[in-house]
């Protein structure tokens, strides 16, 4: 008898899985596609719940019978059609790891609008609720969403597949003293009712829909750029990012008009796990980007560049992620070069390529050595697994190599055309390869072998046509490093006028083992552990941990407690758990810091501790 039940159970599951085939990490129906979304939601800080109605305008092909949406950790209360209050039946598919489940709604003839009444739960991973203590001002709570890559479905039922683009509007009710902002046309100032209306007329994939609510003020930079931040941070942020208006113009000069009307920045609370996120019209920026000397404004350039690569021309699947990030790093460095000179851009590139080589060694001996390829294999995996430095820096290196081979003039013309012709569409790796083929290989004989496309895209190492990146400014650093290794004290080194990239290169190239006294000497002379630049700080702390410089651990503790930028804290924790002596300390700090970290950060660190 038991077996019969088991059999029945198994057949239901497989039947429903067949019923909801997975494509590109999504259950979304392709014969019924959402075209427009109207959200009407409330943000309830007391219960930590977003609730309301998502209404969809759909496109039905061949008289399609049902609409399938993705959900993950959502509670569905009711489904209705058009203006009719009568509840309509819906089915939920089986829960699949990473993906959540399908929400299937049978359609009747002539139905125009489908309304899903829903609410988030504590399983809604995209949503972070911060207490006032976790903000800069410590007066008001804050909430924000982080939809990349497949977390939009944890706060909005949706077709969470980058191939599906929608326009949207939203009515958002929040506590009266707070301002709501979205990756859309924004209201700019608080109103007394706490009700905000948003409109997004450019079609976007779901991972680019974002909401933030907090005690935020706005400062204009020019007619199409400005900054939102907690009042306390606003002045500092405006000063640090004063180059933004010029950056937008520089980007336009390179690869064509900015098509999103506005480019504002939102300075996030410290627990924001990334350096930045390219939410259209409103990039989310980690507060550590405010280094005090504009040395990290390349992240602003990076998020801006996504307005072309990623937001206009979007990766078709998460396996094509390098088309978003590799292009964006390339574009970011072209902006840096135009604005701050080729020395700066070259230094940044060299640091990036050094990082790439380090990462490739680690990935080579990991469970997934294929992650060293540009075109990833993410079958049955969380797309977040693809989030390594490879799509970024190997992607950059490939495009830089293409620039070298075909010449900058031709390459720039190609890119400009690429963004114009594929705007508001998706791009896959194979489509991109055939574009290259058409443009550079079929027409001018011989370039195919020179370019080595297949080695770049499907190979696991760096192809032989990659030109080493040489920075004159780093040659100076190497000279001083040599003098230091030969015994010159820190004070005696010639470091006048060095910029942060040079310091990063210096720290990265210190020997594995350094005596404590020498570390102290360096820190006294150069103040690394007080740096405003989070890359210098984290790399320096890695070096201190590697050499078990215990006196400095309190500083490392306070760094790990106050910083939320995952990549930086991860590298420090990773170094700590390598050695038994610091393992326990790492766990202690983590258990103390956990409450203020983002769930994404907590998960990544927990995996590290396993
Ligand atoms: N799209 C990414 C950030 C991201 C990645 C957010 C994955 C969520 C999940 C963003 O554009 C980015 O790449 N940011 C980098 C900065 C950049 C200069 C390399 C970061 O966060 O450090
Ligand atoms: Zn990016």
């Amino acid at each position: 008898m038991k077996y019969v039940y088991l059999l029945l159970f198994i057949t239901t599951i497989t039947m429903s899985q067949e019923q909801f085939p997975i494509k590109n990490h999504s259950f979304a129906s392709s014969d019924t596609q959402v075209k427009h979304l109207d959200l009407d939601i409330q943000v309830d800080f007391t219960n930590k719940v977003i609730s309301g109605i998502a209404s969809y305008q759909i496109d039905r092909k061949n008289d399609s019978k049902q609409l399938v949406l993705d959900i993950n950790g959502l509670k569905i209360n009711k489904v209705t059609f058009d203006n009719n209050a009568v509840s309509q039946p819906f089915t939920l598919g089986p829960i699949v790891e990473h993906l959540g489940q399908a929400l299937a709604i049978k359609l009747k003839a002539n139905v125009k609008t489908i309304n899903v009444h829903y609410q988030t739960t504590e399983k809604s991973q995209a949503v972070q609720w911060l207490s006032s203590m976790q903000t800069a001002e410590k007066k008001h709570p804050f909430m924000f969403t982080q939809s990349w890559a497949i977390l939009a479905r944890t706060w909005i039922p949706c077709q969470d597949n980058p191939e599906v683009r929608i326009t949207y509007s939203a009515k958002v009710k929040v506590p009266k003293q707070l301002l709501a902002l979205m990756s859309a046309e924004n209201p700019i100032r608080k109103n007394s009712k706490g009700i905000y209306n948003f409109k997004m007329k450019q079609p976007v994939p779901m991972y680019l829909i974002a909401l933030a609510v907090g005690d935020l003020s706005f400062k204009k930079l020019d007619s199409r750029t400005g900054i939102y931040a907690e009042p306390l941070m606003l002045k500092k942020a405006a000063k640090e990012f004063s180059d933004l208006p010029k950056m937008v113009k520089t980007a336009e000069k390179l690869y064509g008009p900015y098509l999103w009307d506005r480019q504002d920045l939102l300075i996030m609370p410290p627990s924001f796990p990334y350096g930045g996120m390219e939410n259209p019209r409103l990039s989310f920026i980690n507060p550590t980007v405010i280094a005090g000397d504009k040395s990290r404004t390349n992240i602003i350039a990076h998020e801006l560049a996504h307005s072309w690569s990623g937001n206009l021309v979007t990766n078709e699947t998460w396996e094509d992620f390098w088309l978003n990030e590799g292009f964006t790093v390339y574009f970011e460095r072209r902006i840096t070069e135009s604005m701050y000179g080729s020395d700066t851009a070259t230094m940044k590139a060299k640091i990036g390529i050094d990082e790439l080589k380090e990462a490739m060694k680690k990935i080579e001996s990991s469970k997934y050595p294929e992650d060293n390829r540009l075109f990833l294999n993410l079958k049955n995996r969380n797309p977040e697994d693809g989030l390594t430095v490879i799509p970024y820096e190997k992607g950059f290196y490939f495009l830089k190599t293409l620039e070298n081979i075909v010449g900058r003039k031709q390459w720039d013309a190609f890119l400009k055309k690429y963004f114009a012709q594929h705007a508001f569409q998706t791009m896959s790796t194979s489509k991109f390869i055939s574009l290259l083929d058409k443009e550079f290989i079929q027409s001018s004989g011989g370039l195919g072998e020179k370019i080595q496309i297949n080695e770049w895209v499907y190979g696991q190492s760096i192809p032989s046509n990659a030109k080493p990146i040489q920075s004159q400014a780093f040659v100076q650093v190497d000279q001083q490093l040599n003098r230091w290794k030969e015994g010159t004290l820190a004070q005696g080194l010639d470091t006048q006028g060095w910029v942060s990239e040079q310091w990063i290169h210096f720290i990265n190239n210190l020997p594995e083992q350094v005596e404590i006294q020498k570390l102290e000497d360096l820190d006294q002379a150069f103040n690394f552990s007080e740096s405003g630049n989070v890359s210098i700080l984290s790399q320096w702390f890695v070096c201190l941990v590697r050499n078990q410089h215990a006196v400095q651990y309190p500083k490392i503790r306070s760094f790990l407690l106050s910083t939320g930028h995952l990549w930086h804290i991860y590298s420090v924790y990773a170094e700590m758990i390598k050695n038994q002596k610091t393992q326990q300390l790492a766990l202690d700090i983590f258990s103390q810091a956990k409450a203020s970290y983002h769930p994404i950060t907590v998960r990544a660190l927990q995996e590290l501790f396993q």
Side-chain angles (χ1 to χ4, degrees), residues 146 148 274-278 302-303 306 325 387 392 565 567:
Q146 167 56 54
W148 190 96
Y274 304 108
M277 175 65 206
E278 66 273 23
H302 181 96
E303 305 316 334
H306 271 305
E325 295 301 343
L387 195 57
Y392 288 78
H565 192 331
W567 296 358

Side-chain angles (χ1 to χ4, degrees), residues 165 168 182-186 200 202-205 207-210 258 260 262-264 277-284 303 306-307 311:
R165 297 181 92 90
Y168 72 91
M182 289 191 83
S183 50
E185 219 170 289
N186 271 304
M200 185 58 174
Q202 289 96 345
V204 288
Y207 77 91
L208 292 176
I209 299 189
Y258 182 76
W260 304 88
R262 290 198 62 86
Q263 169 65 51
D264 294 318
M277 175 65 206
E278 66 273 23
N279 296 314
R281 290 166 169 263
L282 182 69
S283 295
F284 284 16
E303 305 316 334
H306 271 305
S307 299
N311 301 4

